[in-house]
């Protein structure tokens, strides 16, 4: 038996990322970081066997190999077909974020003015299409006020306050969850605002408040992130991430 | 059948300042880099570039050749990820950015390919894409109501019509039939369908009979109606990856990104790699690889 006594912060993050996919069914899980990849694959090896996962390039994996490892394949998913999946809605993406505001607007494009930024990142990538079409969650390895800010510089990922209720084109927007090194959050606060669901063991409400620019709904009442099962710990440590890459994505 | 074989410089010789060009590939994957280097050797400028951007856009920015850019992202796909020359052009306000969702690039090329003025798409709604474009990007309302009687208003993605498309594929014949070898065609067929003049470089030119033997039918993404000029350019996607032909030259790409940091280091890079012919470039790259081994 694997001991549960020494569960690391990264391991709580991994199961929280797996829980993003609870009940997802037969859709494509598109995690964009090592941690969310461990989470998606953990979900697939436990409660969500029908998830589709890819190698991050163009192959759909039949196996659920360790992160970075090759495995048997079951299909083809080149980039142009990914856009068909996006439009179909049968996908849940977990993106990173340089900034997220209290309504879930997200930025990974650039800082500063649109036509003359102070710092250039990737551009909006697939964030506008992801957020308007299907479930979208975020993984943030270092929860701080620079990320969780009052106003994002560039809206790449669309937040809940942008929804026009008169226009059914917005009806699929579902900014679902945010997992950070400090806890698990969603947008179930008043008016679809950022809300604490659980804090990882050892994290205090003050720590979250001190590292978030805006007020976090339900922060005082948030419970503690659940314990991983022995089976989940075994899968994380022995199957999916034996090299412990997960620790590198979590701020100390 | 017409023999469409030409040289890199002849192809780029048909380019004029102010034109709108599409560059195939994706990020740092199967980019028409030999064509890009030929553009750097030419005196064309004020280009409008449509791309899933990588070091292609970076190199064009390094030479001040880009006036306006339409892109879904710009990425080197490996550390340091952000292209330094694109970053510099943006932070200096040197280019007009028509940034858009990745899916909007595909949609705009498909509209152009079908000679339509626009295609509706959900992606872009509610995001700053609309502010990047201003009046150049409009919405369109469906004439058909949904079940509740409401009408969806969607982004009306305008056709991304191109004057010239440059793409790089693994194998082709002298007439413009060409195929990719690897896991992904990217969008190179769409770039060709959206353009007036279409130039493809290939790793090797073979007889048609051999082409169709070497590549499964589904990978023959270009036919003769989609190509005006064919260039044989072995290693012509370097330093980006090229399917089954070769992987990315990560060491060289890092060197490119490092070299962009100071005027002195960039001048040294230009002197060594970008001041001669494509053959000179390939020889210098080979020498660089030997030194790094």
């Amino acid at each position: 038996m694997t001991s549960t006594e020494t569960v690391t912060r990264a391991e709580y993050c991994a199961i929280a990322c797996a829980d993003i996919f609870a009940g997802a069914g037969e859709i494509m899980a598109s995690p964009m970081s090592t941690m969310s990849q461990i989470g998606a694959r953990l979900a697939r090896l436990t409660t969500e066997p029908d998830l589709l996962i890819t190698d991050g390039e163009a192959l759909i994996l039949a196996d659920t190999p360790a992160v970075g490892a090759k495995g048997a394949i079951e299909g083809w998913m080149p980039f142009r077909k990914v856009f068909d999946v996006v439009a179909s809605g049968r996908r849940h993406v977990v993106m990173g974020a340089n900034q997220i505001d209290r309504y879930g607007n997200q930025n990974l494009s650039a800082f500063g003015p649109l036509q003359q930024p102070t710092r250039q990142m990737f551009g909006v990538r697939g964030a506008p299409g992801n957020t308007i079409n299907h479930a979208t969650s975020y993984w943030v390895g270092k929860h701080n006020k620079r990320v969780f800010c009052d106003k994002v510089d560039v809206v790449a990922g669309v937040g809940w306050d942008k929804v026009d209720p008169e226009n059914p084109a917005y009806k699929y927007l579902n900014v679902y969850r945010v997992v950070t090194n400090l806890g698990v959050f969603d947008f179930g606060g008043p008016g679809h605002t950022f809300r604490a669901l659980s804090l990882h063991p050892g994290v205090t409400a003050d720590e979250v408040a001190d590292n978030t620019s805006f007020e976090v709904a339900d922060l005082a009442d948030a419970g503690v992130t659940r314990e991983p099962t022995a089976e989940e710990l075994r899968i994380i440590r022995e199957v999916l991430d034996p090299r412990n890459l997960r620790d590198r994505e979590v701020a100390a | 059948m017409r023999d469409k074989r030409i040289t890199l410089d002849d192809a780029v010789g048909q380019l004029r300042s102010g034109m709108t060009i599409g560059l195939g590939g994706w990020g740092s994957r199967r980019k028409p880099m030999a064509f890009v280097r030929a553009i750097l050797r030419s005196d064309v400028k004020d280009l409008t570039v449509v791309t899933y951007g990588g070091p292609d856009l970076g190199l064009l920015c390094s030479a001040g050749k880009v006036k306006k850019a339409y892109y879904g992202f710009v990425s080197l796909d490996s550390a340091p990820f952000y292209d330094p020359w694109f970053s510099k052009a943006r932070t200096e306000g040197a280019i007009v950015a028509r940034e858009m969702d990745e899916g909007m690039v595909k949609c705009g090329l498909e509209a152009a390919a079908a000679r339509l003025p626009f295609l509706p798409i959900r992606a872009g709604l509610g995001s700053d894409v609309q502010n990047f474009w201003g009046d150049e990007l409009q919405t369109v309302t469906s004439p058909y109501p949904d079940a509740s009687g409401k009408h969806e208003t969607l982004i009306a993605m305008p056709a991304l019509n191109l004057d010239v498309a440059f793409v790089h594929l693994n194998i082709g014949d002298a007439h413009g039939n060409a195929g990719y070898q690897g896991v992904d065609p990217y969008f190179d067929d769409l770039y060709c369908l959206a353009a007036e003049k279409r130039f493809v470089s290939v790793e090797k030119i073979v007889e048609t009979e051999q082409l169709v033997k070497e590549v499964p039918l589904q990978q023959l993404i270009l036919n003769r109606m989609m190509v005006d000029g064919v260039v044989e350019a072995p290693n012509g996607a370097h330093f980006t990856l090229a399917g089954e032909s070769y992987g990315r030259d990560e060491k060289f790409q890092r060197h490119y990104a490092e070299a962009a940091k100071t005027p002195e280091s960039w001048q040294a890079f230009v002197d060594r790699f970008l001041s001669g012919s494509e053959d000179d470039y390939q020889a210098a790259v080979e020498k660089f690889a030997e030194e790094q081994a």
Side-chain angles (χ1 to χ4, degrees):
Chain A
M1 275 302 272
T2 309
S3 167
T4 56
E5 288 165 19
T6 55
V7 179
T8 66
R9 180 66 58 83
E11 286 160 352
Y12 286 108
C13 294
I15 60 162
C17 284
D19 287 347
I20 287 173
F21 297 100
E26 200 157 35
I27 62 159
M28 192 158 98
S30 295
M32 300 297 183
S33 62
T34 297
M35 183 62 78
S36 53
Q37 215 174 79
I38 294 169
R41 293 182 185 200
L42 179 60
R44 194 177 194 234
L45 288 172
T46 54
T47 61
E48 293 297 323
D50 291 332
L51 286 174
L52 283 78
I53 60 170
T54 73
D55 66 347
E57 195 171 7
L59 305 175
I60 309 175
L61 297 172
D63 288 346
T64 310
V67 289
K70 289 185 189 310
I73 67 165
E74 64 166 334
W76 189 42
M77 189 57 64
F79 287 124
R80 72 170 59 187
K81 284 179 177 284
V82 173
F83 298 135
D84 296 341
V85 176
V86 169
S88 83
R90 301 193 65 82
R91 186 168 182 252
H92 190 149
V93 68
V94 186
M95 292 189 284
N98 295 90
Q99 296 175 314
I100 296 177
D101 75 12
R102 66 181 316 187
Y103 295 100
N105 293 289
Q106 170 256 23
N107 178 19
L108 47 49
S109 170
F111 293 136
L114 297 184
Q115 292 297 344
Q116 189 169 356
T118 54
R119 177 154 189 256
Q120 178 66 45
M121 283 91 77
F122 284 122
V124 296
R125 293 221 73 148
N130 290 341
T131 46
I132 204 77
N133 277 296
H134 56 64
T136 298
S137 295
Y138 295 104
W139 156 248
V140 175
K142 188 174 187 181
H143 187 137
N144 62 40
K145 283 185 169 174
R146 283 197 307 280
V147 176
F148 293 95
C149 59
D150 292 325
K151 191 175 184 304
V152 305
D153 291 34
V154 180
V155 177
V158 180
W160 285 102
D161 61 335
K162 299 294 189 293
V163 172
D164 174 0
E166 291 310 305
N167 182 0
Y170 285 88
K171 65 186 166 192
Y172 302 116
L173 184 133
N174 181 12
V175 187
Y176 181 71
R177 198 163 280 188
V178 181
V179 176
T180 79
N181 61 316
L182 299 186
V184 182
F185 307 86
D186 70 1
F187 294 91
H192 281 298
T193 50
F194 193 74
R195 173 177 75 168
L197 293 177
S198 71
L199 308 186
H200 302 320
V203 176
T204 64
D206 283 347
E207 192 178 354
V208 173
D210 290 346
N211 285 288
T212 310
S213 292
F214 45 82
E215 191 186 325
V216 180
D218 290 358
L219 183 56
D221 305 321
V224 179
T225 303
R226 72 173 175 88
E227 291 299 314
T229 65
E231 176 66 358
E232 285 176 321
L233 279 181
R234 184 190 68 79
I235 293 170
I236 294 168
R237 293 170 180 175
E238 296 173 22
V239 179
L240 291 176
D241 187 27
R243 290 159 62 206
N244 196 17
L245 299 173
R246 59 193 177 279
D247 262 358
R248 294 189 204 167
E249 285 201 354
V250 179
Chain B
M1 281 178 277
R2 280 200 294 148
D3 186 340
K4 297 176 184 170
R5 287 175 293 177
I6 53 170
T7 66
L8 289 168
D9 293 320
D10 285 343
V12 167
Q14 299 186 43
L15 194 58
R16 297 286 170 267
S17 293
M19 278 186 167
T20 297
I21 67 168
L23 298 170
W26 169 283
S28 187
R29 303 171 202 219
R30 219 180 67 227
K31 279 287 172 179
M33 297 298 277
F35 277 127
V36 168
R37 288 184 283 268
I39 295 171
L40 294 190
R41 288 194 292 275
S42 79
D43 55 10
V44 297
K45 54 183 178 22
D46 296 329
L47 295 172
T48 293
V49 180
V50 177
T51 187
Y52 288 105
D56 52 338
L57 187 54
L59 278 175
L60 292 177
C61 286
S62 79
K65 292 193 180 289
V66 184
K67 180 182 64 183
K68 192 173 182 184
Y70 291 74
Y71 57 91
F73 64 84
V74 179
S75 172
L76 295 177
D77 291 338
S78 55
F81 295 101
Y82 309 138
D83 181 273
W85 279 112
F86 173 69
S87 295
K88 188 163 189 289
R90 288 273 288 135
T91 54
E92 289 176 354
I95 57 177
V96 175
R98 291 291 177 262
E99 191 167 306
M100 71 191 102
D101 176 77
E102 292 172 16
M104 292 170 69
V105 180
K106 171 175 176 269
C107 186
L109 292 172
E110 285 172 336
R115 301 180 298 173
L116 293 169
F118 71 92
L119 281 172
I121 187 169
R122 205 179 307 278
L125 284 176
S127 75
D128 265 329
V129 165
Q130 291 178 285
N131 294 320
F132 269 106
W133 287 60
D135 292 343
E136 205 181 318
L137 188 70
Q138 299 288 332
T139 57
V140 61
T141 299
S142 171
Y144 309 108
D146 70 6
S148 72
K150 287 178 178 169
H151 294 253
E152 284 196 48
T153 296
L154 297 153
I155 296 289
M157 180 64 208
L160 293 169
N161 294 302
L162 309 173
D163 294 311
V164 185
F166 295 104
V167 302
H168 183 80
L169 287 168
N170 302 85
I171 185 169
D173 67 14
H175 314 294
N177 298 299
Y180 71 97
Q181 292 168 305
V183 294
D184 202 320
Y186 308 119
F187 301 82
D188 292 352
D189 49 344
L190 287 180
Y191 282 99
C192 289
L193 289 168
E196 290 281 331
K197 282 274 179 193
R198 299 76 45 93
F199 297 109
V200 57
S201 58
V202 291
E203 289 296 314
K204 59 173 179 178
I205 294 178
V206 297
E207 292 298 325
T208 308
E209 191 183 34
Q210 190 187 338
L211 168 67
V212 300
K213 242 184 269 175
E214 282 202 34
V215 181
L217 288 175
Q218 294 82 353
Q219 292 181 12
L220 293 167
I221 57 172
L222 300 185
N223 60 52
R224 287 186 289 117
M225 293 180 286
M226 299 162 73
V227 175
D228 297 292
V230 184
V231 178
E232 187 167 64
N235 214 32
H238 182 271
F239 44 93
T240 69
L241 63 76
E244 289 170 7
S245 299
Y246 42 87
R248 185 176 303 131
D249 188 343
E250 296 285 5
K251 277 183 185 163
F252 189 89
Q253 177 165 289
R254 273 199 298 278
H255 181 59
Y256 154 78
E258 282 290 317
K261 283 183 178 166
T262 70
E264 295 73 27
S265 56
W266 186 249
Q267 191 55 52
F269 185 91
V270 169
D271 290 345
R272 183 170 181 191
F273 298 107
L274 299 175
S275 296
S277 68
E278 179 67 14
D279 285 346
D280 295 334
Y281 172 82
Q282 294 293 348
V285 161
E286 204 169 309
K287 194 150 173 285
F288 177 84
E290 284 164 17
E291 288 169 12
Q292 299 286 313

